[in-house]
Amino acid sequence: MAIQGRIPVNFGDVFPHGVYATGPAEPLTNFETKRQETDKDTGMPVWVIDVYDADPEANHKASAIKIKIDAEVCPVVPEPAFGPFRPVEFDGMTVTPWIEETGRKPNGEMRTRIAYSFRARTVRAPGKGGGAGRPAAAAKDAA
C-alpha cells in the first residue's frame, strides 16, 4: 500500500467553512495511566483542541471534532471572538482514517463506520501566518 500512517491535508480542503475552538488546548490524558499522552513518532506531549466545523451541512454530532497537536508547551488558542467561540485555523494538518465500532446490528454483526483522527503542527487565528493550510514559515518565505 502506497499511503500508510498520517496523510497530509490542507486546512481549507478539510474545513472549507472554517472551525471554531470552544476552549483552550488541554493535555490529552491516557485513560489508563492518567498521564499526558506522548506522540509515538516525536515523543512530544500531545494536546487536544475541541472545535466545531462551521459547515452548515454537517450534523451536530459530526461537527464536534478534536484536533491533536504535539508540542513541548501548550498551544495558545486565540481569544474568543463571540461567546465561547474562537475562530481558528491549523497548519501542518494530517488525517488518519480508522474503523470505529459503533455497536451491533440486530443480526449480531458489528456496526462500523470510517472515522478520522486529525492532527496539526500549529493553531492560529484565521488570516494570520500560514494561510491556505501552508505552514507559517512557507507563507512568510513566499511574501
Side-chain angles (χ1 to χ4, degrees), residues 74-111:
C74 183
V76 177
V77 176
E79 291 297 315
F82 43 93
F85 300 104
R86 309 155 189 248
V88 295
E89 291 184 0
F90 295 92
D91 292 317
M93 285 194 71
T94 63
V95 62
T96 305
W98 58 284
I99 303 296
E100 178 182 31
E101 296 179 351
T102 61
R104 295 211 175 262
K105 297 177 184 177
N107 66 2
E109 289 180 24
M110 186 58 65
R111 179 171 290 149

Side-chain angles (χ1 to χ4, degrees), residues 32-137:
E32 293 175 4
T33 66
K34 307 297 186 229
R35 296 180 134 171
Q36 185 172 8
E37 290 277 351
T38 56
D39 182 79
K40 65 180 181 176
D41 296 332
T42 65
M44 290 195 283
V46 179
W47 308 87
V48 66
I49 300 173
D50 291 323
V51 300
Y52 278 98
D53 187 348
D55 184 348
E57 299 294 319
N59 68 41
H60 181 70
K61 183 179 178 184
S63 65
I65 300 162
K66 294 183 179 295
I67 309 286
K68 298 172 189 169
I69 297 178
D70 36 303
E72 288 296 332
V73 296
C74 183
V76 177
V77 176
E79 291 297 315
F82 43 93
F85 300 104
R86 309 155 189 248
V88 295
E89 291 184 0
F90 295 92
D91 292 317
M93 285 194 71
T94 63
V95 62
T96 305
W98 58 284
I99 303 296
E100 178 182 31
E101 296 179 351
T102 61
R104 295 211 175 262
K105 297 177 184 177
N107 66 2
E109 289 180 24
M110 186 58 65
R111 179 171 290 149
T112 61
R113 72 178 187 100
I114 297 175
Y116 301 93
S117 175
F118 294 100
R119 286 189 176 255
R121 193 172 55 251
T122 60
V123 60
R124 61 179 169 77
K128 304 208 181 207
R134 294 185 300 167

